[in-house]
């Protein structure tokens, strides 16, 4: 019979997370008296000052306490009290994503204490006994201060020593291909599960970012962690947490603009560098957050619009045997004989337009139960076409229209049960619809070798039937048992993917 009990215990202890993100912070420590003896039943109360969110715990027989599932950031005020001892107040505490702040204190007896002790905490997070492997945390201060020309996650992931940014915001961590990374927004899967995007994110085939940077509170990049709750990747796990509302209303409005006059010249030796062709990149948005019910219910909302235009003017000369007259005669032939308009080649323009909407609602059900709901919606429309040069003529109808719609929702419940148990439950759903279509009327793709040059016309060969639908459901639950210095975690992480892909090359 004992063998059966041991087998059941071993099974529960080895139900580990296949892959999940980091969404909260924690505090813990030990409370003792002046002789370093543990204080059983000391009361620990942590208050998130901006929102009034309150967390509580009581020390165990050995004087240890833990509070998990806490909001990141701060400042927090942590008060430790015990009958017959002076209260100790710790102010200005800031919690980093995925890290546990250690706050251990010796309480002095009230009869010998003259004044209340107030301790202001400062932790640079570099040396932390609670860290579980190499990781980099980018808090809100860094998010706001660091330059982010592309406004992508790659702008911040590059702060990780093991990360390298390649090509078009491809994030390589620990030397691995970007498709071996895991990306989570508020605990929900947001990396390109099917693996077509070079950037490794949903909507990445259009060039759009998966979320507005102005909606992000904090990032964490984990490399080879030994936390049982993190796994399922060979490169790195990138977790992003959205902003939350507080007891005060806050709002922002922003506008960003770039063109060829605000960008550097082409790479190369100084005398060979040239000014970039004309382009415009515009991004504008608004955000607002605040209380619905003070100390109880909060909201945060962000909307962002992106409009990019990249003209690709023709150089004016063509080296093919037929010359420009032959190119124009070919276009007229397609129109007159087949009724097909191949478009123009001397004024091609690529565009990217997108709308991003992020909503988050936080509910402090009680001191022991906190519920959060987040939804991130991204719609992108991309039109891309090759540039006409002296050796390649690309008619505009060889381009492609790409529409991508991504919607990611997550529901998280963090609970504590007495002084020994805590639970974190996350349910996520990701819906992606990528629809790639040719431009103009359908027509066979034509490639003409014209001496040392080539002419391209007709429908883009890989876009006449190209569709990708993804539905991904994630369920994560971690139950923690506290015993003295030790924490036992029993958990599970499940991902269900339903993918439909239509692809015919011509």
């Amino acid at each position: 019979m004992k063998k059966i009990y041991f087998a059941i215990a071993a099974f529960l202890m080895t139900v580990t997370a296949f892959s999940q993100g980091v969404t909260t912070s924690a505090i813990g420590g030990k409370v003792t008296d002046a002789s370093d003896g543990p204080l059983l039943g000391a009361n620990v109360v942590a208050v998130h000052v901006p929102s009034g969110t309150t967390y509580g715990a009581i020390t165990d027989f050995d004087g240890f306490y833990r509070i998990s599932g806490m909001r990141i950031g701060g400042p927090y005020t942590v008060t430790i009290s015990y009958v017959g001892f002076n209260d100790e107040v710790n102010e200005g505490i800031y919690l980093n994503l995925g890290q546990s702040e250690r706050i251990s204190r010796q309480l002095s007896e009230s009869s010998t204490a003259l004044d209340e002790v107030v301790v202001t905490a400062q932790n640079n997070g570099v040396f932390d006994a609670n860290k579980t492997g190499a990781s980099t945390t980018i808090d809100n201060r860094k998010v706001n201060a660091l330059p982010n020309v592309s406004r992508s996650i790659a702008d911040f992931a590059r702060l990780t020593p093991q990360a390298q940014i390649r090509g078009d915001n491809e994030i390589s961590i620990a030397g691995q291909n970007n498709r071996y990374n895991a990306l989570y927004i508020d605990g929900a899967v947001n990396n390109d599960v099917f693996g077509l995007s070079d950037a490794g994110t949903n909507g990445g085939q259009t060039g759009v970012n998966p979320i507005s940077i102005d909606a992000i509170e904090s990032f964490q990049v984990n490399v080879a962690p030994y936390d049982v709750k993190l796994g399922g990747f060979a490169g790195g796990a990138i977790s992003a947490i959205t902003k939350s509302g507080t007891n005060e209303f806050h709002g922002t409005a922003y506008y960003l603009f770039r063109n060829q006059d605000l960008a550097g010249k082409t790479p190369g030796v100084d005398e060979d560098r040239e000014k970039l062709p004309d382009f415009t990149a515009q991004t504008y948005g608004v955000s607002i957050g605040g209380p619905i019910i003070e100390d109880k219910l909060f909201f945060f909302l962000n909307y962002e619009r992106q409009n990019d235009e990249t003209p690709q003017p023709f150089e004016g000369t063509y080296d093919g045997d037929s010359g420009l007259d032959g190119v124009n005669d070919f276009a007229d032939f397609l129109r007159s004989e087949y009724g097909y308009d191949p478009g123009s080649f001397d004024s091609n323009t690529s565009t990217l337009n997108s709308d991003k909407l992020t909503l988050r609602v936080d509910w402090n059900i009680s001191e022991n139960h906190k519920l959060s709901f987040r939804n991130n919606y991204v719609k992108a429309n991309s039109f891309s076409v090759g540039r006409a040069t002296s050796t390649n003529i690309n008619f505009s109808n060889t381009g492609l229209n790409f529409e991508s719609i991504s919607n990611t929702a997550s529901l998280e419940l963090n609970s504590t049960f007495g002084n020994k148990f805590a639970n974190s439950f996350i349910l996520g759903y990701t819906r992606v619809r990528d629809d790639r279509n040719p431009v103009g009327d359908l027509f066979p793709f034509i490639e003409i070798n014209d001496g040392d040059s080539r002419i391209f016309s007709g429908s883009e060969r890989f876009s006449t039937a190209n569709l990708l639908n993804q539905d991904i459901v994630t369920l994560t639950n971690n139950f923690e048992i506290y015993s003295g210095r030790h924490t036992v975690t029993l958990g599970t992480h499940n991902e269900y993917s339903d993918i439909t892909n239509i692809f015919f090359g011509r």
Side-chain angles (χ1 to χ4, degrees), residues 324-335 342 395 443 446-448 455-458:
L324 285 177
D325 290 339
V327 173
N328 289 319
D329 290 343
F330 171 66
D332 291 338
F333 173 77
L334 293 177
R335 294 186 183 100
F395 284 94
F443 198 79
I446 301 172
E447 177 180 344
I448 299 175
I455 302 172
F456 299 95
S457 181

Side-chain angles (χ1 to χ4, degrees), residues 38-336:
L39 293 178
L40 168 64
N43 191 42
V44 182
V45 177
V47 179
H48 183 256
V49 177
S51 67
T53 305
T54 303
Y55 305 86
I58 298 175
T59 56
D60 61 16
F61 183 81
D62 297 309
F64 290 99
Y65 74 93
R66 295 172 188 80
I67 304 177
S68 60
M70 301 177 68
R71 291 176 61 148
I72 63 173
Y76 275 89
T77 297
V78 179
T79 303
I80 304 175
S81 60
Y82 192 75
V83 176
F85 289 77
N86 228 29
D87 292 354
E88 183 159 324
V89 182
N90 307 268
E91 296 181 338
I93 295 174
Y94 287 83
L95 302 182
N96 290 322
L97 176 62
Q99 296 183 9
S100 179
E101 181 79 12
R102 184 173 178 83
I103 303 176
S104 296
R105 297 290 183 264
Q106 280 188 340
L107 299 186
S108 58
E109 294 185 21
S110 57
S111 59
T112 60
L114 298 178
D115 298 302
E116 181 183 73
V117 177
V118 177
V119 180
T120 300
Q122 289 184 341
N123 181 11
N124 58 17
V126 176
F127 300 102
D128 186 353
N130 295 301
K131 292 187 70 172
T132 56
S135 65
T136 302
T137 300
I138 302 98
D139 58 24
N140 187 248
R141 182 183 62 83
K142 294 178 182 177
V143 171
N144 292 330
L146 289 170
N148 48 87
V149 175
S150 67
R151 295 181 60 78
S152 71
I153 292 174
D155 287 330
F156 304 96
R158 68 176 73 244
L159 295 178
T160 302
Q162 297 89 347
Q164 181 182 10
I165 310 303
R166 304 169 178 171
D168 188 15
N169 291 326
E170 298 179 26
I171 305 172
S172 171
I173 300 177
Q176 298 293 324
N177 186 282
N178 69 307
R179 291 177 175 84
Y180 289 98
N181 298 331
L183 172 63
Y184 299 93
I185 296 178
D186 289 328
V189 174
N190 228 275
N191 52 299
D192 176 26
V193 175
F194 198 71
L196 293 179
S197 167
D198 289 336
T201 59
N202 290 327
Q205 294 186 78
T206 65
V208 74
N209 294 317
I211 190 172
S212 168
I213 293 301
D214 281 77
I216 295 296
E217 174 73 21
S218 180
F219 290 98
Q220 186 182 59
V221 181
N222 285 282
V223 184
Y226 50 89
D227 186 340
V228 69
K229 293 182 289 186
L230 292 170
F233 55 88
I238 304 173
S239 298
I241 300 300
T242 54
K243 293 179 179 178
S244 304
T246 64
N247 277 330
E248 295 183 1
F249 283 99
H250 293 278
T252 60
Y254 52 94
Y255 174 72
L256 300 98
F257 175 81
R258 288 184 70 231
N259 65 7
Q260 67 283 351
D261 296 324
L262 300 173
K265 296 181 179 180
T266 58
V269 184
D270 289 343
E271 56 268 21
D272 297 330
R273 299 181 66 189
E274 298 179 355
K275 188 176 182 179
L276 294 177
D278 292 351
F279 73 94
T280 59
Q282 301 181 78
T283 300
Y284 54 89
V286 294
S287 62
I288 185 172
I292 300 174
I293 302 175
E294 189 171 344
D295 292 342
K296 196 76 173 178
L297 192 62
F298 312 91
F299 79 96
F300 175 81
L301 181 67
N302 172 265
Y303 169 75
E304 182 173 289
R305 173 71 179 181
Q306 179 181 359
N307 294 316
D308 293 351
E309 285 193 4
T310 308
Q312 302 179 91
F314 177 48
E315 296 176 351
T317 60
Y318 175 61
D319 297 336
D321 292 346
S322 63
L324 285 177
D325 290 339
V327 173
N328 289 319
D329 290 343
F330 171 66
D332 291 338
F333 173 77
L334 293 177
R335 294 186 183 100
S336 61

